[in-house]
């Protein structure tokens, strides 16, 4: 099944009929296509962040297209894998914005565990072919995710990086905070991503709605349940 790796809580949240429609849009052959990330990691973002824990959605474009890079979390790579250019740029801005040290690992899983849905607009890519699965049908699924979160959550910060991500803005209710920005890709980062301070902007949006700021430190000390250790943001 196309969504067999999607956690039951998310399947219930999104609705069986809507998921069936998304499944019909996607070609069945995608199950056999050589693509990244591997099928067991495709829904990693959802496995680490249940719908009732989502505080922030960071939406990117599509997975990394190099071997062993994509892990089902937007912008993240497994520990020990060299940082791709987009991640290097993201972490440069992270260091500048938060005052936290540059991490050695590019694994952003801890953000997901604290309530950040690290979602790509498109969930798969062919090896060595960026954006090769654009228009394949994943957009129907990610539209569904954004729309359901917009409907169900009292407040969420949606951080949309790049044109592909910003195409979902039409689905987001005005009760939420939306931060649109340039993608950290080397092709665009110098046109507005650097200096945009997205992490402090997200925390300011949370504070404005009476919510606690997010802990952006890339460690696994979850004793504060996602709060505290926010660097030099305020």
């Amino acid at each position: 099944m196309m969504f067999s790796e999607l956690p039951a809580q998310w399947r219930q949240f999104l609705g069986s009929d809507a998921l069936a429609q998304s499944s019909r849009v996607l070609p069945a052959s995608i199950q056999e296509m050589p693509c990244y990330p591997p099928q067991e990691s495709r829904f990693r973002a959802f496995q680490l962040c249940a719908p009732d824990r989502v505080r922030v959605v960071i939406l990117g474009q599509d997975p990394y297209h190099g071997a062993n890079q994509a892990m089902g979390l937007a912008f993240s790579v497994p520990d020990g894998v060299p940082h791709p250019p987009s991640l290097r740029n993201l972490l440069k801005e992270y260091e500048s914005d938060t005052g936290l040290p540059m991490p050695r690992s590019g694994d952003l899983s801890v953000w997901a565990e604290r309530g950040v849905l690290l979602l790509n607009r498109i969930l798969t890519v062919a090896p060595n072919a960026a954006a090769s699965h654009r228009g394949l049908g994943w957009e129907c699924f990610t539209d569904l995710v954004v729309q359901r979160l917009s409907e169900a959550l009292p407040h969420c910060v949606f951080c949309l990086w790049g044109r592909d991500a910003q195409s979902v803005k039409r689905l987001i209710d005005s009760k939420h905070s939306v931060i649109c920005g340039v993608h950290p890709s080397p092709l665009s980062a110098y046109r507005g991503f650097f200096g945009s301070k997205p992490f402090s902007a997200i925390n300011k949006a949370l504070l404005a709605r009476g919510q606690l700021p997010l802990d952006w430190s890339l460690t696994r000390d979850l004793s504060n349940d996602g709060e505290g250790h926010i660097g030099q943001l305020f």
Side-chain angles (χ1 to χ4, degrees):
M1 289 179 60
M2 190 72 68
F3 296 102
S4 60
E5 303 293 334
L6 189 67
Q9 192 173 358
W10 275 100
R11 291 200 301 269
Q12 182 178 2
F13 178 76
L14 297 172
S16 56
D17 291 344
L19 279 177
Q21 181 178 350
S22 294
S23 185
R24 286 193 293 270
V25 171
L26 284 157
S29 59
I30 199 172
Q31 301 287 72
E32 288 78 41
M33 289 180 183
C35 60
Y36 301 133
Q39 185 172 351
E40 63 271 16
S41 300
R42 199 165 292 166
F43 299 105
R44 183 70 171 157
F46 302 93
Q47 293 162 357
L48 292 180
C49 187
D52 60 350
R53 288 186 56 83
V54 175
R55 304 181 64 202
V56 176
V57 177
I58 292 180
L59 189 62
Q61 180 176 294
D62 65 338
Y64 298 122
H65 54 83
N68 304 315
Q69 293 179 325
M71 58 181 293
L73 298 172
F75 301 103
S76 183
V77 294
D79 189 29
V81 172
H83 300 176
S86 290
L87 179 58
R88 284 202 303 270
N89 290 339
L90 185 157
L91 292 176
K92 285 179 184 177
E93 182 62 18
Y94 160 86
E95 183 182 34
S96 172
D97 183 11
T98 66
L100 293 164
M102 176 69 70
R104 292 183 180 179
S105 174
D107 187 346
L108 308 179
S109 297
V110 68
W111 288 354
E113 293 164 358
R114 293 178 185 150
V116 181
L117 186 66
L118 292 165
L119 182 63
N120 277 313
R121 186 76 169 102
I122 304 156
L123 268 60
T124 58
V125 68
N128 305 311
S132 52
H133 287 183
R134 181 184 284 142
L136 200 63
W138 283 119
E139 295 89 343
C140 179
F141 172 70
T142 49
D143 276 358
L144 172 63
V145 172
V146 170
Q147 187 167 10
R148 285 292 295 120
L149 288 171
S150 176
E151 293 168 349
L153 299 181
H155 176 255
C156 181
V157 182
F158 290 86
C159 189
L160 313 178
W161 285 338
R163 185 179 303 174
D164 284 318
Q166 290 166 24
S167 67
V168 307
K169 186 178 179 181
R170 72 193 189 284
L171 304 173
I172 302 171
D173 189 89
S174 59
K175 66 183 176 179
H176 302 290
S177 302
V178 179
I179 298 170
C180 292
V182 174
H183 193 279
S185 161
L187 298 174
S188 55
Y190 286 94
R191 299 203 298 267
F193 181 77
F194 290 131
S196 62
K197 299 187 180 299
F199 305 101
S200 53
I202 290 170
N203 276 354
K204 287 174 183 176
L206 291 169
L207 284 167
R209 298 299 182 98
Q211 297 172 297
L212 290 168
L214 197 82
D215 175 2
W216 290 110
S217 61
L218 286 165
T219 64
R220 292 191 172 276
D221 179 7
L222 302 180
S223 59
N224 288 313
D225 194 28
E227 300 148 15
H229 302 293
I230 57 174
Q232 300 172 8
L233 300 184
F234 305 100

